[in-house]
């Protein structure tokens, strides 16, 4: 039987970065996934390493905004009546956790991770030869009216006390850096974040580094995961694997391990979509750009311009609904000259979300040697390298660089 010190279940960006961080601390590590590395949620995100996202995505508390969302009147968020009964208890908790004082506490808890998210990725990227994927240009939040731009400027001001930098543009000054964008009233340029030209390539480069350093990647199904006499076992295509310790990095599928072991985790998914377009001849997009008033983002990627959508509140496994991406396309075409569509159908991913928008990072309280690192919501790419480090420090007895207690599963 194959044996390893640590089994990491799930080879999305969180699992692969966690495996690298544990391996760097001297443990033999085996990664197990039912698919290839990075082929699920981590495949299709917008590629932002959100160094400026101190404040999480909150449930709106303004009744006018809620009334719009209630009738599916805003493209950035959509829900399905058929899924509402399953979602309602989670939404209620999300609403409660978005109360301003609580939300501020959550933001301060995750702040040390946000502060080091980019430097930690840069260190791993340098080792993996992946710095060529990184673009340190920040990203743009675009507004179509003075009213929304004023609200955008106020939101941008909130992050300045944390040492983060923004630039403000009117439509004329925006044209100096993005001459192909049209119909924009004003923009906030978040200068500290970075972005990737190919999120899948990053996961694959981390996985290649992990294997070069002696790590093993196997195909296997986490539903076969079981506590065993001397640790934990899982079935793989290469036969059974036994590990002294195990880490659950299954993102939206964490429940396949947590539920049978008796951990009740209030996870829901906010689904999102993408599709790629060729830029029209002569057009170029130099920064990822979020159309804040219309709820979609355009990101320049190696494959073309990636249009990504906001949040769809639906059950993880309900059939895809392309309403948001279909509504975004004509608006996006007026914003930026898009050419041919490059994908035969949109891609769908699932952001794994806990109601307080904090991940679960830390030990399983009733299972010695079992650890969790999942639930990174809108920021799984951003937080992967740094949350992997935090977990690896906890597992190996190092002093954690940040207080891990806000991320403990016991909070539920
Ligand atoms: C449209 C969109 C845009 C986004 N933009 C950004 C962004 O710009 N920046 C950012 O930081 N984040 C962004 N995100 C969020 C980010 O993509 C996720 O938080 C992140 O990918 C989660 O990574 P993960 O490794 O936890 O999950 P995943 O990538 O889903 O990995 C989980 C792995 O578990 C495996 N698995 C599942 N079930 C089993 C099983 N039974 N047995 C074995 N393996 C199994 C899967 O195959 C998968 O590889 C975006 C998400 C979406 C949908």
């Amino acid at each position: 039987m194959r044996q390893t010190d640590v089994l990491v279940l799930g080879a999305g960006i969180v699992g692969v970065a966690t495996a690298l961080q544990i391996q760097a601390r001297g443990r033999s590590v085996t990664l197990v996934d039912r698919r290839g590395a990075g082929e699920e949620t981590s495949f299709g995100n917008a590629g932002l390493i959100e160094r400026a996202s101190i404040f999480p995505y909150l449930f709106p508390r303004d009744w006018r905004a809620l009334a719009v969302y209630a009738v599916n009147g805003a493209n950035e968020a959509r829900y399905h009546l058929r899924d509402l009964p399953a979602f309602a208890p989670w939404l209620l908790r999300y609403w409660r956790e978005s109360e301003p004082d609580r939300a501020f506490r959550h933001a301060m808890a995750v702040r040390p991770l946000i502060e080091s998210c980019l430097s930690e990725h840069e260190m791993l990227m340098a080792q993996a030869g992946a710095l060529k994927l990184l673009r340190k240009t920040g990203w743009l939040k675009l507004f179509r009216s003075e009213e929304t731009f004023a609200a955008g400027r106020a939101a941008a001001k909130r992050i300045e006390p944390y040492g983060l930098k923004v630039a403000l543009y009117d439509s004329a000054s925006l044209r100096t850096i993005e001459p192909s964008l049209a119909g924009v009233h004003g923009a906030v340029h978040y200068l500290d974040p970075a972005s990737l030209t190919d999120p899948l390539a990053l996961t694959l480069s981390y996985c290649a580094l992990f294997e070069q350093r002696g790590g093993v990647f196997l195909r296997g199904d986490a539903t076969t995961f079981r506590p065993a006499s001397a640790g934990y076992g899982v079935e793989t295509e290469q036969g059974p694997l036994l590990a002294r310790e195990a880490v659950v990095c299954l993102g939206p599928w964490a429940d396949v391990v947590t539920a049978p072991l008796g951990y009740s985790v209030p996870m829901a998914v906010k689904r999102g979509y993408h599709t790629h377009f060729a830029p029209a001849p002569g057009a170029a997009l130099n920064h990822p750009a979020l159309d804040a008033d219309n709820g979609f983002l355009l990101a320049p990627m190696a494959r073309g311009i990636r249009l990504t959508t906001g949040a769809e509140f639906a059950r993880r496994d309900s059939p895809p609904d392309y309403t948001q991406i279909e509504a975004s396309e004509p608006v996006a075409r007026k914003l930026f000259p898009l050419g041919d569509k490059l994908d035969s159908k949109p891609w769908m991913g699932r952001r794994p979300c806990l109601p307080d928008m904090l991940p679960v990072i830390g030990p399983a309280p009733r299972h010695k040697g079992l650890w969790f690192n999942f639930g990174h919501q809108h920021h799984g790419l951003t937080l992967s390298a740094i949350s992997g480090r935090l977990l690896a420090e906890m597992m190996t007895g190092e002093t954690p660089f940040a207080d891990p207690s806000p991320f403990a599963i016991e909070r539920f």
Side-chain angles (χ1 to χ4, degrees), residues 12 14 33-34 41-42 45-48 220-222 377-382:
V14 173
D33 199 296
R34 64 181 173 186
T41 327
S42 304
N45 57 51
L48 302 181
D221 190 341
Q377 34 88 17
H378 296 251
H379 292 140
L381 166 61
T382 301

Side-chain angles (χ1 to χ4, degrees), residues 60-349:
R61 299 180 80 80
D62 156 22
W63 290 104
R64 271 178 315 179
L66 279 174
V68 174
Y69 291 126
V71 294
N72 275 331
N75 191 40
E76 77 244 26
R78 181 174 174 79
Y79 75 99
H80 293 273
L81 268 183
R82 63 161 193 247
D83 291 345
L84 196 57
F87 249 94
W90 184 89
L91 279 177
L92 193 63
R93 290 176 85 157
Y94 183 22
W95 181 79
R96 219 172 45 217
E97 297 296 340
S98 298
E99 182 272 317
D101 286 346
R102 281 180 192 237
F104 186 75
R105 277 202 302 279
H106 301 329
M108 292 305 106
V110 82
R111 189 177 146 205
L113 277 65
I114 292 283
E115 283 174 348
S116 298
C117 67
L118 180 54
S119 53
E120 197 68 21
H121 265 304
E122 284 185 284
M123 194 226 357
L124 295 184
M125 283 183 198
Q127 293 168 8
L131 282 169
K132 57 184 180 294
L133 303 172
L134 188 69
R135 209 173 19 205
K136 292 178 83 171
T137 58
W139 63 274
L140 295 167
K141 195 166 182 177
L142 313 175
F143 300 92
R144 303 305 191 105
S145 72
E146 178 50 29
E147 191 191 348
T148 55
F149 187 31
R153 289 195 301 266
K157 273 239 153 302
R158 269 190 91 194
I159 64 166
E160 282 177 351
Y162 304 99
L164 295 160
K165 298 178 293 302
V166 295
L168 301 177
Y169 306 123
D170 60 16
S171 55
S173 51
L174 178 65
R175 267 196 296 279
T176 63
I177 59 163
E178 288 291 3
S180 301
L181 291 178
V184 180
H185 175 80
V188 175
H189 189 174
Y190 289 91
L191 294 161
D192 300 277
S195 60
L196 298 177
T197 53
D198 188 341
L200 174 65
L202 182 73
T203 310
L204 292 177
S205 75
Y206 284 0
C207 197
L209 178 66
F210 167 74
E211 290 183 307
Q212 265 166 36
R213 291 178 170 172
V216 177
F217 176 65
L218 301 175
R219 298 280 181 132
D221 190 341
T223 58
T224 63
F225 178 80
R226 299 279 179 274
S229 53
Y232 296 92
V234 71
E235 294 300 321
T236 76
E237 286 179 4
Q238 281 70 33
L241 171 73
L242 187 65
R244 283 198 295 114
E245 295 185 274
V247 190
V248 179
C249 296
L250 292 162
W253 294 275
D255 63 334
V256 305
V257 171
T258 56
L261 295 179
Y263 295 97
S264 163
V265 186
M267 165 104 74
V269 298
K270 294 189 199 173
R271 305 197 311 185
Y273 298 79
H274 86 214
T275 198
H276 292 93
F277 300 86
L285 185 64
N286 302 315
H287 307 79
L290 171 70
D291 186 334
D293 295 4
N294 293 299
F296 64 84
L297 187 141
L298 295 178
M301 294 272 172
R303 178 162 165 72
I305 305 291
R306 179 176 287 186
L307 188 164
T308 65
T309 62
E312 182 199 19
F313 294 85
R315 273 192 283 215
R316 183 184 67 200
D317 302 322
S318 293
D321 172 348
Y322 300 127
T323 305
Q324 284 164 293
I325 200 148
E326 283 169 359
S328 303
E329 182 182 337
V331 188
R333 285 189 178 281
K334 289 191 186 137
L335 173 67
F336 177 85
L338 295 171
D340 291 344
K341 206 183 270 188
L342 301 175
D343 302 323
S344 55
K345 64 172 187 171
W347 167 89
M348 185 185 80

